Amino acid sequence: MKLTKERIISAGMAAFAEVGYHALSMRQVAERLGAHAGSLYYHVRSKDELLAMMADRVCGRAYDAGSAALAALPPGATWQRKLEVQAAALRDTLLAHPGGALLMVDSPGVLAPGGLSLMERLLRTLVEAGVPVEHGGIAADTLLSHITGFVLQEQSHPQAPPLTADAYADLRARFPLLLTEMPRIPQDEKFQRSIQLLCGAFASLTGD
């Protein structure tokens, strides 16, 4: 089957899901395609370019998911609600791609349609709400950074070492707010509430 950029990106994402960012190589991608690594360079100049194209594909899928979520909103939906559904669509898309958040964070920063589309729509939502453009760019970037950071933690799955009952009791005594008084909140609810907190901060910039 003929090599194309789209096929190479798909193979790259499959390999990335298995080996991660640093271990990914053009040779591994080529093996998935039944091709020689050298033949990939006719379509993709480097591993960095491939990673950027992979990140752009994820962003493009997140943009499409956000478009569907926005279209499903009732007429007159608030700008806060519009931001919430865009944020949820990006989170869901990143979670659907193993290592998706790491891909966005670690891939080379380039001006690509997918990422620019996400940022442009967030910024437009904020500006139409009354946030000045000079603040809106920072607000949109803050929102994107929060979403990718949130998913990065979700996809990391760190394994905490086991604690004895006495050790845990000692930690609860030392950190009562964190381990005793703060309620345990499901991840979906925690994410939604975190976006709402950010929207509350953004609202202070609208002058309403």
Side-chain angles (χ1 to χ4, degrees), residues 8 19 22 27 34 61 72 76 80 92 110 114 164-165 172 183 200:
I8 294 171
V19 303
H22 296 292
R27 178 184 57 79
R61 290 177 175 175
Q80 291 96 330
D92 289 345
V110 295
T164 65
R172 290 183 63 182

Side-chain angles (χ1 to χ4, degrees), residues 63 66-67 70 73 77-87 116-133 135-137 139-140 143 195 199 202-203 205-206 208:
Y63 182 85
S67 296
L70 287 168
L73 289 176
T78 65
W79 64 266
Q80 291 96 330
R81 186 61 185 144
K82 292 177 181 178
L83 284 183
E84 288 175 16
V85 299
Q86 290 177 70
L116 290 174
S117 296
L118 285 174
M119 189 71 170
E120 176 78 9
R121 186 164 61 192
L122 288 172
L123 179 55
R124 185 171 300 281
T125 303
L126 289 162
V127 170
E128 289 177 352
V131 175
V133 175
H135 297 314
L143 186 58
I195 298 301
C199 286
F202 301 155
L205 301 171
T206 65
D208 292 340

Side-chain angles (χ1 to χ4, degrees), residues 20-66:
Y21 178 84
H22 296 292
L24 180 69
S25 68
M26 296 295 277
R27 178 184 57 79
Q28 291 168 328
V29 176
E31 288 176 354
R32 285 182 172 273
L33 295 167
H36 295 290
S39 62
L40 270 61
Y41 291 102
Y42 287 104
H43 305 275
V44 181
R45 290 173 295 182
S46 65
K47 172 184 169 179
D48 282 350
E49 183 176 72
L50 175 58
L51 287 165
M53 294 165 66
M54 289 159 54
D56 191 56
R57 175 184 283 188
V58 173
C59 288
R61 290 177 175 175
Y63 182 85
D64 291 341

Side-chain angles (χ1 to χ4, degrees), residues 159-182:
Q159 296 296 317
L163 293 175
T164 65
D166 287 343
Y168 185 67
D170 178 63
L171 288 176
R172 290 183 63 182
R174 294 171 60 193
F175 308 105
L177 285 176
L178 284 173
L179 300 180
T180 303
E181 297 185 31
M182 191 172 76

